[in-house]
Amino acid sequence: MNYKEIIIMNLILSKIKCTEIAKYLNENINHVYHIKRKYNLLVQKQNYKMTFSEKQEQLLLSGKIGDGNYKKNGKSCYFRISHSEKDLDFLNLSYKIFDSYVSKGGILETTSAGFNKEKMYYFSTKSSIDLLFFKNLSIEKTILKLNDFGLVLLILDDGWKSNSSIQLSSGKLTKEQILLLISQFEKFGFKNISIVGKRNDIYFSTINNNLFKESIYKYNLENLNIVKRKILTLK
């Protein structure tokens, strides 16, 4: 797969017409259609019926707070997850959890925005009106629906190891939403959690390290590179 094919694939998956892609890239229309057939990038039904398992729901919830994206598609929407190359096994885990709900494009390669142009990988779910529930759910209600699996996913997605403890980016959460998220962690036994720095990051004292590890083993996540890097090296 060359760089030009990647561009064409991304435009097709963005629901841009093949004729418009050909005109924009000054590309032969038959070549654009060839890419579409080659990688089986068929238009997904917008009314695909979905019934979610607990793990699928937690991925959708944690992704709403973390790095996942909900994209509108007509009267429905789809969900997209992306990770860097070093965390490709974490993306593969999410891919397997969503299983038959993944779009026919599968896992695709792209590059990140910005100066470094890091190699990234992503996949999208099929479009469904059932995903609108999660897209339209308020941040407060999303936080309250997170269980220990969803909270661990959030740590793996937006957290990092800081010396011998874990810190979590609060992203665009308000101060009230950060406090609500902290209280949700406390419901599952985490303690001594504080807000630090100008960005209002969430700091977990080292007293939580064993609980993080217990959660990892509970859900059989110990073989993921991201887990080994962030969690299993905690003392």
Side-chain angles (χ1 to χ4, degrees):
M1 184 187 300
N2 58 43
Y3 185 68
K4 194 68 169 288
E5 287 186 346
I6 293 173
I7 293 175
I8 293 173
M9 288 173 63
N10 285 333
L11 291 172
I12 291 172
L13 289 170
S14 297
K15 309 298 186 293
I16 298 174
K17 294 180 179 179
C18 290
T19 52
E20 294 179 6
I21 295 173
K23 183 178 179 180
Y24 176 72
L25 296 177
N26 194 25
E27 187 69 60
N28 187 296
I29 183 64
N30 290 325
H31 180 61
V32 177
Y33 284 132
H34 170 72
I35 298 300
K36 186 174 183 178
R37 290 191 298 270
K38 179 180 178 181
Y39 296 104
N40 199 23
L41 304 178
L42 304 176
V43 175
Q44 303 296 327
K45 294 181 179 180
Q46 296 183 16
N47 59 348
Y48 193 88
K49 181 65 179 174
M50 294 183 177
T51 303
F52 303 107
S53 68
E54 182 180 13
K55 285 188 175 181
Q56 288 169 341
E57 283 190 353
Q58 291 301 311
L59 270 168
L60 292 168
L61 293 166
S62 63
K64 184 178 177 71
I65 298 173
D67 293 333
N69 286 293
Y70 289 87
K71 305 276 188 179
K72 201 80 190 313
N73 183 21
K75 294 182 179 179
S76 65
C77 71
Y78 60 94
F79 181 67
R80 177 175 291 179
I81 303 177
S82 63
H83 286 289
S84 63
E85 187 173 24
K86 68 178 181 294
D87 294 329
L88 184 56
D89 59 345
F90 187 32
L91 185 68
N92 280 323
L93 172 69
S94 301
Y95 181 92
K96 290 176 182 178
I97 289 175
F98 277 115
D99 193 26
S100 61
Y101 293 163
V102 175
S103 68
K104 292 184 177 180
I107 294 179
L108 300 172
E109 180 184 322
T110 186
T111 53
S112 62
F115 179 77
N116 292 330
K117 299 296 182 183
E118 183 182 10
K119 185 183 290 186
M120 301 288 291
Y121 293 87
Y122 71 92
F123 73 85
S124 301
T125 67
K126 298 174 181 176
S127 293
S128 173
I129 57 173
D130 296 308
L131 287 167
L132 289 174
F133 169 80
F134 297 93
K135 182 181 185 299
N136 298 329
L137 198 64
S138 71
I139 293 298
E140 289 78 11
K141 289 182 178 179
T142 299
I143 290 172
L144 292 174
K145 286 182 174 290
L146 288 170
N147 64 17
D148 55 343
F149 181 63
L151 293 171
V152 166
L153 291 177
L154 190 57
I155 291 291
L156 295 179
D157 204 7
D158 280 342
W160 66 92
K161 182 182 175 184
S162 177
N163 295 321
S164 295
S165 59
I166 289 292
Q167 281 189 218
L168 174 66
S169 171
S170 61
K172 296 181 180 179
L173 297 180
T174 66
K175 190 70 170 290
E176 291 75 19
Q177 290 166 346
I178 294 171
L179 291 172
L180 184 63
L181 181 57
I182 288 174
S183 70
Q184 193 68 9
F185 272 99
E186 290 173 341
K187 287 181 182 178
F188 290 92
F190 294 91
K191 56 186 68 174
N192 290 10
I193 308 170
S194 56
I195 301 173
V196 298
K198 294 181 179 179
R199 299 186 309 173
N200 289 331
D201 294 326
I202 301 172
Y203 172 82
F204 296 82
S205 73
T206 55
I207 197 173
N208 296 291
N209 290 353
N210 285 336
L211 188 53
F212 277 125
K213 292 178 182 179
E214 288 173 10
S215 299
I216 290 299
Y217 287 113
K218 176 181 178 180
Y219 292 104
N220 301 313
L221 303 174
E222 63 271 15
N223 291 322
L224 296 177
N225 289 329
I226 195 170
V227 169
K228 295 175 182 177
R229 192 170 68 251
K230 292 184 179 182
I231 305 296
L232 297 186
T233 55
L234 293 172
K235 297 179 180 178

